[in-house]
């Protein structure tokens, strides 16, 4: 209850503390894994829930300092040093935690027979920040950015041609600083198969581009049309191209400055060469110092993070909301970050 009041929630597996008491500056405790966790104990030097629960007596310090549960901010483990493991597979422990400083302790853990399981020479704690109130969530907003002068040294090529060694060789003869490659949806009836094909093609293109030393000074601009939405009300007609954005974002994080993404609202992904206004706008977008851009109604938009509370609501561009009675799937949900997300939701 004391932890819950501070927004720190424990599931049943981690509620393994069965007894705790204090003598002077030394804390003692008994810990026992719940039945549902017993089968997995042999996989660890010490089961994570068992170790975590062994440190729960530190809350006695907080409760004592505050006078009553909930009055003081809990102190939680922050750093460990001098850790020694002596055995594996323990399912119950006896703990001795000795205060060594204002915010530091030494920890000795033994099995019920008194044999050592784990020792920590120094455990440092720090206050648990926050009051339990969930912070305001962030949303991505597409914000207009200025259009720079178009890049002079640029060339437009077909993505399929660029994916061949001959196409890259012809390009390398002059090595322009900016190369625009337009992507189109594969002519497949199966949307999933089309998404797989174009993503595999772009992956090979990125790998070949990075492997070609003659193109190391050039930036590859991948142009899609209708692959993303800049508002919730906007349609995504080229859904098979959407995975390309996620793939190229990963490549951008690994190779900053080598790739750029631009999505247009032009219905014709080929874009006729005689449309000079569109050509100039695309050239300006390619010259912008923005890894990702969307061209909408003649404007350049870039993704920015904003607090959901700061984004005005409108039916045409609603802020995503969570139905508290619904179900949320968190992928990769076993990490610490996923736990924070789950508590927030």
């Amino acid at each position: 209850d004391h932890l819950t009041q501070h927004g720190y929630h424990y599931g049943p597996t981690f509620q393994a503390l069965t007894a705790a008491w204090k003598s002077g500056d030394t804390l003692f405790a008994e810990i026992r894994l719940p039945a549902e966790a017993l089968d997995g104990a042999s996989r660890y030097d010490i089961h994570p829930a068992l170790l975590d629960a062994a440190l729960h007596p530190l809350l006695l310090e907080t409760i004592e300092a505050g006078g009553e549960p909930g009055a003081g901010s809990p102190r939680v483990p922050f750093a460990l040093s001098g850790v020694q493991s002596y055995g594996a597979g323990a399912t119950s422990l006896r703990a001795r935690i000795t205060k060594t400083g204002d915010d530091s302790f030494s920890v000795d853990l033994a099995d019920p027979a008194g044999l050592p399981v784990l020792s920590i020479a120094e455990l440092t704690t720090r206050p648990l920040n926050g009051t339990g109130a969930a912070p305001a969530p962030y949303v991505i907003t597409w914000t207009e950015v200025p259009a720079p002068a178009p890049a002079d040294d640029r060339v437009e090529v077909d993505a399929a041609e660029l994916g061949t060694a001959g196409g890259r060789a012809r390009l390398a003869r002059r090595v322009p600083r900016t190369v625009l490659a337009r992507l189109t949806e594969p002519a497949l009836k199966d949307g999933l198969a089309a998404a797989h094909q174009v993503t595999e093609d772009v992956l090979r293109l990125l790998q070949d581009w990075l492997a070609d030393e003659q193109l190391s000074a050039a930036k590859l601009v991948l142009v899609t049309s209708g692959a993303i939405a800049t508002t919730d009300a906007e349609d995504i007609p080229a859904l098979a191209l959407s995975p390309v954005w996620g793939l190229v974002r990963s490549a951008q994080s690994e190779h900053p400055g080598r790739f750029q993404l631009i999505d247009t609202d032009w219905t014709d992904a080929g874009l006729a060469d005689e449309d000079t206004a569109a050509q100039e706008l695309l050239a300006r977008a390619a010259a912008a110092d923005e890894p990702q851009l969307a061209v909408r109604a003649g404007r350049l938009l870039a993704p920015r993070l904003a607090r959901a509370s700061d984004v005005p609501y409108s039916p045409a561009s609603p802020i995503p909301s969570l139905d508290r009675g619904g179900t949320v799937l968190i992928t990769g949900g076993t990490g610490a970050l996923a736990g924070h997300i789950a508590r927030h939701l």
Side-chain angles (χ1 to χ4, degrees):
D1 292 340
H2 177 60
L3 283 172
T4 300
Q5 291 179 32
H6 289 270
Y8 203 73
H9 307 281
Y10 272 100
T13 301
F14 285 82
Q15 296 174 14
L17 182 67
T18 60
W21 62 99
K22 185 177 182 181
S23 176
D25 285 336
T26 304
L27 299 164
F28 299 92
E30 294 179 346
I31 307 96
R32 183 180 301 110
L33 276 178
E36 64 268 19
L38 293 176
D39 291 342
S42 60
R43 296 164 45 202
Y44 304 96
D45 278 8
I46 182 169
H47 193 286
L50 200 63
L51 175 59
D52 192 273
L55 303 179
H56 288 184
L58 295 173
L59 293 171
L60 292 172
E61 295 286 298
T62 301
I63 294 173
E64 185 177 80
E68 59 181 16
S73 177
R75 299 190 67 88
V76 293
F78 174 62
L80 311 176
S81 63
V83 179
Q84 291 285 332
S85 177
Y86 304 102
T91 59
S92 58
L93 295 173
R94 304 198 77 181
R96 179 178 63 200
I97 305 174
T98 305
K99 192 174 182 66
T100 58
D102 292 339
D103 58 357
S104 60
F105 302 82
S106 65
V107 180
D108 294 290
L109 304 179
D111 66 15
L115 298 176
V117 174
L118 187 95
S119 65
I120 304 171
E122 184 175 60
L123 165 69
T124 304
T125 64
R126 70 175 181 182
L128 175 65
N129 295 324
T131 60
Y138 285 84
V139 294
I140 293 178
T141 61
W142 287 83
T143 306
E144 185 173 4
V145 295
D152 293 330
D153 189 13
R154 69 181 188 280
V155 65
E156 296 185 30
V157 298
D158 181 80
E161 180 185 0
L162 190 60
T164 66
R168 291 192 303 277
R170 286 189 291 274
L171 185 65
R173 293 172 189 165
R174 54 167 294 191
V175 193
R177 294 187 62 82
T178 304
V179 178
L180 284 80
R182 301 220 184 97
L183 300 176
T184 56
E185 286 189 286
L188 297 175
K189 293 183 178 179
D190 186 337
L192 183 59
H196 283 176
Q197 179 177 317
V198 72
T199 305
E200 291 172 3
D201 291 344
V202 172
L203 175 59
R204 285 193 294 270
L205 173 60
L206 300 181
Q207 292 171 334
D208 292 340
W209 180 271
L210 292 170
D212 195 328
E213 294 183 359
Q214 292 181 293
L215 300 174
S216 59
K219 177 177 73 172
L220 176 59
V221 182
L222 295 166
V223 183
T224 60
S225 184
I228 61 166
T230 57
T231 69
D232 286 353
E234 192 176 319
D235 194 16
I236 305 179
L239 192 60
L241 295 178
S242 297
V244 170
W245 273 68
L247 172 64
V248 178
R249 283 190 185 113
S250 296
Q252 287 174 332
S253 67
E254 296 175 6
H255 304 276
R258 296 299 310 277
F259 303 109
Q260 185 183 24
L261 283 164
I262 300 176
D263 188 75
T264 75
D265 56 359
W266 302 318
T267 55
D268 180 13
L271 181 62
D273 291 337
E274 58 269 18
D275 192 341
T276 55
Q279 289 285 351
E280 181 176 355
L281 185 58
L282 186 58
R284 289 178 177 272
D289 189 20
E290 295 283 349
Q292 297 139 36
L293 283 171
V295 178
R296 297 294 186 269
R299 301 181 302 150
L300 300 186
L301 308 179
R304 298 288 188 265
L305 277 179
R307 289 188 181 275
S309 57
D310 295 336
V311 179
Y313 172 84
S314 69
S317 181
I319 297 173
S321 60
L322 176 68
D323 178 3
R324 293 183 178 275
T327 301
V328 175
L329 171 64
I330 303 175
T331 59
T334 57
L337 183 60
H340 287 295
I341 294 174
R343 282 190 291 272
H344 176 80
L345 295 178

